[in-house]
Amino acid sequence: TSCKLCHANPASGAPLTGDGPAWSPRIAQGPDTLLDHTINGYNGMPPMGLCVQCSEEQFLALISFMSGQHIQ
Ligand code: HEC
């Protein structure tokens, strides 16, 4: 739900949920970098994606869901 605030909002500049091409180069960075950017923040991406209670496993599941690509 907190991810959707931005990842379903074109005005936010975030890669949108289900937008495969926007996610591909990000997924290519690997799960460690993606998790690091999710937990510590990355440009317009706020630390923890505003979900302070989310676990690393939940972040990976969310990123898999939003990108439509499987992440370990
Ligand atoms: C306040 C808006 C906002 C929220 C909330 C948000 N994001 Fe983001 N996110 C962004 C923006 C903007 C970017 C693009 C950053 C860039 O590439 O400059 C981004 C990028 C990302 C990336 C790609 C990072 C990379 O290395 O390319 C991941 C993964 C991500 N978000 C995961 C999440 C998850 C998971 C949540 C929810 C727990 C979330 N985001 C919530 C704004 C948000």
Side-chain angles (χ1 to χ4, degrees):
T1 306
S2 60
C3 314
K4 244 171 73 180
L5 268 175
C6 298
H7 288 272
N9 174 10
S12 71
L16 300 180
T17 301
D19 185 352
W23 281 101
S24 289
R26 300 178 188 272
I27 301 301
Q29 302 176 113
D32 290 347
T33 302
L34 289 168
L35 259 188
D36 180 64
H37 289 169
T38 302
I39 290 166
N40 298 310
Y42 179 66
N43 297 328
M45 167 71 194
M48 307 295 282
L50 303 182
C51 179
V52 284
Q53 75 276 25
C54 286
S55 67
E56 291 193 1
E57 274 161 28
Q58 287 175 312
F59 284 135
L60 287 174
L62 285 162
I63 299 167
S64 295
F65 167 74
M66 293 198 290
S67 66
Q69 290 166 68
H70 180 74
I71 306 174
Q72 325 263 341

